[in-house]
């Protein structure tokens, strides 16, 4: 991140919302309003370990006095979530990015929401919005145990009749076939959670021709072992030509050459480095853009994606 996209926020409160899940309220250090956001948006959070992590905004988009995020403590992670749980308390300051949204809520009349564990966080404001608009919706929410499922009471307060809480130790896996068949083929399906859930939802929706939008915590399996070849990246603003070797990413080459490009996860899941493509054919390997967005070829995630043509012209 750089200064034009950073916000200095202070913790205005924290609370436990489930087993090993803490909610943080982040407010401007000097008061005032924060940049607006819509359901599905996330922010980057810079932890004290130097690790940058992405967290979905799960509060009220109409309340611009603060952002709310919920953080699952990952005991086998790289330390980012542990630092937040152990070190971030009321009054402490933290650097975050302005909100970005690669998981937008599209207009529709009927919705199916599929959540696994902490994947409920981007779906919570979506559910509140569609409920307020009077749309038809249902939520199928799985977790290890009831104690591990964040915001269960908040969701039931929206409309308990539409909320299906499915802890694995009581119910097993979410019945995706039943949930999708009941909603019908015209429903918009939104899914966030671990990769096995998202993969199963992709297959089930593809079998039915249903529209699915997903948000991932880890890179998806692209299903093959790609062969990397060198190619040239040309910078539209300067005309500079940069060779990208087979063993380096576009982002690495850009940063080394002093080109201003924002990065965060560097694994194709957060969307921070999304860049417009003016000419050339990107070889998409990200987990953010939909198949339709990838097919247009007008943008790419240069942290993981490459080129099918000898040259790419990037809008940088």
């Amino acid at each position: 991140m750089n200064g034009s996209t950073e916000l200095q926020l202070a913790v205005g409160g924290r609370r436990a919302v489930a087993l090993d899940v803490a909610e943080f309220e982040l407010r401007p250090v000097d008061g005032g309003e924060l940049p607006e956001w819509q359901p599905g948006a996330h922010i980057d959070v810079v932890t004290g370990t130097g690790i940058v992590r992405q967290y979905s905004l799960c509060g009220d988009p109409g309340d611009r006095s603060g952002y709310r995020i919920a953080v699952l403590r990952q005991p086998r992670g790289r330390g980012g979530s542990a630092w937040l749980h152990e070190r971030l308390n009321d009054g402490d300051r933290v650097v975050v990015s302005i909100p970005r949204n690669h998981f937008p809520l599209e207009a529709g009349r009927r919705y199916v929401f599929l959540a696994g564990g902490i994947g409920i966080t981007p779906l919570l404001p979506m559910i509140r919005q569609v409920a307020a608009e009077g749309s038809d919706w249902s939520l199928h929410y799985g977790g290890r145990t009831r104690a591990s499922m964040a915001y269960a009471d908040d969701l039931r307060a929206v409309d308990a009749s539409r909320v299906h809480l499915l802890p694995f130790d009581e119910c097993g896996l979410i019945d995706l076939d039943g949930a999708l068949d009941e909603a019908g083929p015209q429903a918009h399906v939104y899914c966030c959670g671990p990769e096995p859930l998202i993969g199963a939802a992709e297959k089930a929706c593809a079998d039915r021709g249903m529209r699915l939008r997903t948000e991932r915590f880890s890179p998806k399996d692209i299903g093959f072992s790609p062969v990397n070849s060198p190619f040239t990246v040309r910078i539209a603003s300067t005309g500079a030509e940069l060779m990208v070797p087979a063993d380096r990413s576009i982002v690495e080459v850009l940063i080394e050459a002093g080109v201003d490009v924002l990065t965060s996860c560097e694994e194709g899941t957060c969307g921070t480095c999304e860049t417009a493509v003016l000419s050339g054919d990107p070889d998409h390997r990200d987990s953010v853009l939909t198949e339709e967005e990838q097919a247009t070829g007008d943008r790419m995630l240069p942290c993981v994606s490459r080129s099918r043509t000898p040259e790419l012209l990037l809008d940088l």
Side-chain angles (χ1 to χ4, degrees):
M1 296 189 294
N2 61 30
S4 64
T5 62
E6 289 179 0
L7 301 170
Q8 297 276 347
L9 304 184
V11 179
R14 62 174 287 175
R15 65 179 178 124
V17 291
L19 180 66
D20 291 329
V21 181
E23 179 193 83
F24 296 89
E25 181 184 18
L26 306 176
R27 293 183 173 273
V29 172
D30 300 319
E33 288 191 335
L34 290 170
E36 64 182 359
W37 61 281
Q38 298 297 324
H42 71 268
I43 56 174
D44 295 342
V45 178
V46 182
T47 71
T49 63
I51 296 172
V52 179
R53 285 288 176 263
Q54 293 74 43
Y55 295 103
S56 298
L57 296 176
C58 55
D60 177 5
D63 178 9
R64 294 177 61 184
S65 66
Y67 294 149
R68 291 181 185 271
I69 60 172
V71 180
L72 170 66
R73 183 184 178 113
Q74 300 276 10
R76 292 180 292 277
R78 292 196 292 164
S81 66
W83 184 87
L84 291 168
H85 272 253
E86 296 169 5
R87 303 290 298 276
L88 203 59
N89 296 297
D90 287 4
D92 289 339
R93 297 188 178 189
V94 65
V95 175
V96 310
S97 71
I98 61 174
R100 293 187 302 278
N101 199 341
H102 294 277
F103 192 41
L105 180 65
E106 300 176 349
R109 299 178 60 184
R110 191 167 199 179
Y111 298 86
V112 178
F113 298 101
L114 305 172
I118 198 64
I120 191 62
T121 50
L123 302 182
L124 180 57
M126 292 185 182
I127 288 168
R128 287 172 171 155
Q129 177 171 315
V130 301
E133 293 172 348
S135 299
D136 190 5
W137 62 275
S138 65
L139 167 67
H140 303 264
Y141 178 15
R144 298 187 310 277
T145 65
R146 286 186 183 273
S148 71
M149 298 171 68
Y151 299 114
D153 291 340
D154 301 73
L155 292 160
R156 283 191 290 254
V158 177
D159 188 339
S161 68
R162 299 176 183 270
V163 174
H164 306 279
L165 299 179
L166 305 165
F168 180 77
D169 61 346
E170 299 176 27
C171 309
L173 297 174
I174 297 173
D175 178 8
L176 295 178
D177 291 335
L180 298 176
D181 289 342
E182 181 180 358
Q186 300 306 311
H188 290 247
V189 186
Y190 285 78
C191 180
C192 184
E195 188 59 29
L197 171 62
I198 293 179
E202 286 177 331
K203 182 179 185 307
C205 287
D207 290 344
R208 293 164 173 78
M210 297 180 73
R211 170 74 166 166
L212 171 68
R213 289 207 71 117
T214 65
E215 185 161 68
R216 284 177 155 85
F217 303 137
S218 58
K220 66 181 178 181
D221 182 3
I222 61 176
F224 63 96
S225 298
V227 176
N228 294 340
S229 299
F231 57 94
T232 298
V233 165
R234 188 153 55 93
I235 309 303
S237 62
T238 65
E241 296 185 355
L242 305 173
M243 174 62 69
V244 181
D247 60 348
R248 303 191 69 194
S249 71
I250 298 175
V251 157
E252 288 176 319
V253 171
L254 292 174
I255 292 175
E256 185 177 86
V259 179
D260 186 18
V261 56
L262 299 178
T263 65
S264 181
C265 74
E266 297 192 18
E267 60 182 13
T269 59
C270 74
T272 302
C273 66
E274 182 178 316
T275 302
V277 178
L278 302 180
S279 68
D281 185 10
D283 178 10
H284 296 287
R285 302 181 186 182
D286 67 272
S287 304
V288 174
L289 301 178
T290 65
E291 290 184 2
E292 294 85 353
E293 290 168 338
Q294 290 182 349
T296 64
D298 62 355
R299 55 185 135 160
M300 69 181 303
L301 270 63
C303 65
V304 293
S305 297
R306 300 186 65 82
S307 180
R308 294 190 178 94
T309 49
E311 180 181 281
L312 287 175
L313 176 61
L314 301 183
D315 188 16
L316 291 170

